[in-house]
Amino acid sequence: MEFNRIISINDPLFKSMHELMKKVFPPEEVLEFDLWKEPLEDPGIRVFVAVHNGDVLGATEYRYYEDFNVAMTDFTIISQPGLGIGAFLAQKRLADLQSLAAENGKTLTGMFAEIYDPYQVENYEFGGVKPMDPYVRREVLSHLGYKRLDFTYVHPSWNNDGEAVTGLDLGFLPMTENLYELEADLIVHFLKRYYSVLPNKPQAWLEMIEKLETKEKVALLPL
């Protein structure tokens, strides 16, 4: 299996990846095809696909913030079971991020991820792909060491229509065993940076940020 980076919407592998995204994710979570042009050309956004016998069987997008020394996993897609796609993507991604942190003269602090909570919303189908089932994914992420940040999380819809997307937790994977909370200031600055591309922020998101700005720390709790 190959771990190939995509840096252009003209890459034939990107079309396959985008079709895979539309198959497994809700529509409000998928950026339109043409709007991917600038993100793919951004050196800070890393999009890789798992390719087996010429076919795109999985994908992951993530980024590393040098000034925060944290990463964000935007998404991970696994198209079918029994091939070790998830483990392959996770291992390759972590190795790449650790290398980026080392180039920055640091050891990676951890990695954010938005994690679906099927106990809040039970109608996520993800194209009927069982490895993408939110119950399965949540348990896998828990085994990997992800924690959930202790606040009610919403995010702006990627349709940029000002709607709030609920039914998720903001998770964090600490790279040290003794990290039980995060600075609220880090979370606020990260979220503002991450969603700066979407000008239409829902009121619920703005209120969430305002509440976080009144805190010093946010606890990391089990998934």
Side-chain angles (χ1 to χ4, degrees):
M1 196 173 296
E2 301 171 0
F3 191 61
N4 293 344
R5 187 175 184 184
I6 296 177
I7 57 173
S8 169
I9 61 173
N10 296 319
D11 188 329
L13 293 176
F14 175 68
K15 182 177 181 180
S16 298
M17 187 196 86
H18 198 258
E19 289 299 318
L20 196 55
M21 290 184 71
K22 291 194 294 183
K23 177 181 177 182
V24 302
F25 287 134
E28 67 273 14
E29 297 289 341
V30 182
L31 198 63
E32 292 180 20
F33 188 96
D34 290 340
L35 296 181
W36 276 90
K37 183 179 186 300
E38 289 187 10
L40 288 176
E41 293 173 356
D42 185 336
I45 298 176
R46 306 177 74 79
V47 179
F48 286 83
V49 289
V51 181
H52 182 62
N53 292 332
D55 296 325
V56 173
L57 299 184
T60 185
E61 176 185 306
Y62 55 96
R63 58 194 82 191
Y64 172 66
Y65 296 86
E66 292 185 0
D67 49 346
F68 300 152
N69 191 39
V70 296
M72 171 65 171
T73 299
D74 297 332
F75 64 79
T76 301
I77 300 174
I78 301 166
S79 67
Q80 56 186 280
L83 294 175
I85 300 168
F88 174 79
L89 291 173
Q91 291 164 5
K92 291 289 188 180
R93 179 177 60 218
L94 182 57
D96 186 37
L97 285 168
Q98 289 173 333
S99 176
L100 291 172
E103 291 174 7
N104 193 31
K106 299 177 181 178
T107 300
L108 185 66
T109 299
M111 184 164 22
F112 287 103
E114 293 173 335
I115 302 171
Y116 287 100
D117 184 358
Y119 302 100
Q120 293 185 49
V121 183
E122 297 187 8
N123 61 348
Y124 293 127
E125 296 182 357
F126 293 96
V129 181
K130 286 302 180 183
M132 296 294 293
D133 182 289
Y135 289 99
V136 174
R137 294 172 67 200
R138 193 173 179 90
E139 191 59 30
V140 168
L141 290 169
S142 177
H143 276 70
L144 287 175
Y146 273 92
K147 309 291 185 182
R148 65 179 178 88
L149 285 155
D150 188 20
F151 67 96
T152 301
Y153 184 66
V154 300
H155 77 72
S157 167
W158 285 101
N159 289 331
N160 197 29
D161 52 12
E163 294 296 318
V165 178
T166 61
L168 304 97
D169 290 310
L170 183 61
F172 189 77
L173 173 63
M175 292 297 157
T176 56
E177 293 183 0
N178 59 349
L179 189 62
Y180 303 108
E181 57 187 10
L182 286 184
E183 299 282 344
D185 188 59
L186 169 63
I187 301 168
V188 168
H189 281 88
F190 161 72
L191 289 174
K192 286 183 175 181
R193 175 90 60 84
Y194 188 69
Y195 282 108
S196 62
V197 69
L198 297 176
N200 296 322
K201 305 292 197 306
Q203 185 61 33
W205 187 87
L206 295 173
E207 292 174 357
M208 177 191 74
I209 293 295
E210 288 178 0
K211 288 180 181 179
L212 285 171
E213 288 175 333
T214 67
K215 301 177 181 292
E216 291 186 8
K217 308 271 189 178
V218 178
L220 288 166
L221 303 176
L223 281 177

